[in-house]
């Protein structure tokens, strides 16, 4: 009876050791997989951050180009407004000169008729 019990105990001990070894192997495998997933996650995050950085850089360049265009257009509009004001002033001067010339012509015609 004792021999049988000792034999069962040895078998159970071996079985327990095998189960523990399997568990340790599985734990080791899971730790390896976790490390692998973490590495992949870090790589994906780095690639994502690099892509964001590149997109932001391109957007900044584009925004700067658009701002330059806006500034150039604003400058162009300002110069066109000045030109319009100058032309209006010239028109007014020409109209005044024309009125004076017509008055002078009218006076000369009156003098000529007399």
């Amino acid at each position: 009876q004792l021999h049988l019990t000792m034999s069962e105990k040895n078998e159970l001990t071996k079985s327990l050791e095998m189960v523990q070894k399997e568990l340790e192997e599985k734990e080791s495998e899971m730790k390896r997989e976790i490390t692998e997933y973490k590495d992949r996650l870090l790589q994906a995050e780095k690639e994502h951050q690099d892509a964001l950085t590149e997109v932001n850089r391109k957007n900044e360049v584009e925004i700067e180009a658009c701002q330059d265009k806006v500034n150039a257009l604003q400058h162009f509009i300002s110069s066109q407004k000045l030109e319009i004001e100058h032309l209006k002033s010239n028109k007014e001067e020409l109209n005044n000169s024309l009125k004076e010339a017509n008055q002078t012509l009218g006076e000369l015609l009156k003098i000529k008729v007399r």
Side-chain angles (χ1 to χ4, degrees), residues 4-17:
L4 187 60
T5 304
M6 289 297 282
S7 179
E8 284 178 2
K9 181 190 172 205
N10 285 338
E11 284 180 35
L12 286 173
T13 301
K14 284 181 183 178
S15 179
L16 179 62
E17 286 173 357

Side-chain angles (χ1 to χ4, degrees), residues 94-109:
L94 286 172
N95 281 336
N96 289 338
S97 295
L98 183 60
K99 282 180 186 176
E100 288 176 15
N102 281 335
Q103 284 177 352
T104 304
L105 180 61
E107 290 170 8
L108 288 174
L109 288 174

Side-chain angles (χ1 to χ4, degrees), residues 17 23 34 70 79-80 108:
E17 286 173 357
L23 284 174
I34 288 171
V70 167
S79 67
Q80 291 299 303
L108 288 174

Side-chain angles (χ1 to χ4, degrees), residues 56-74:
N56 283 340
R57 187 193 64 78
K58 285 181 180 177
N59 284 343
E60 286 172 4
V61 168
E62 203 171 314
I63 287 169
E64 193 173 318
C66 288
Q67 190 61 50
D68 289 345
K69 286 180 184 177
V70 167
N71 290 340
L73 286 171
Q74 286 175 337

Side-chain angles (χ1 to χ4, degrees), residues 40-60:
R40 286 167 59 185
L41 178 62
L42 286 173
Q43 181 63 26
E45 286 175 346
K46 183 189 179 307
E47 289 171 3
H48 180 68
Q49 188 59 46
D50 290 347
L52 280 177
T53 301
E54 180 63 17
V55 166
N56 283 340
R57 187 193 64 78
K58 285 181 180 177
N59 284 343
E60 286 172 4

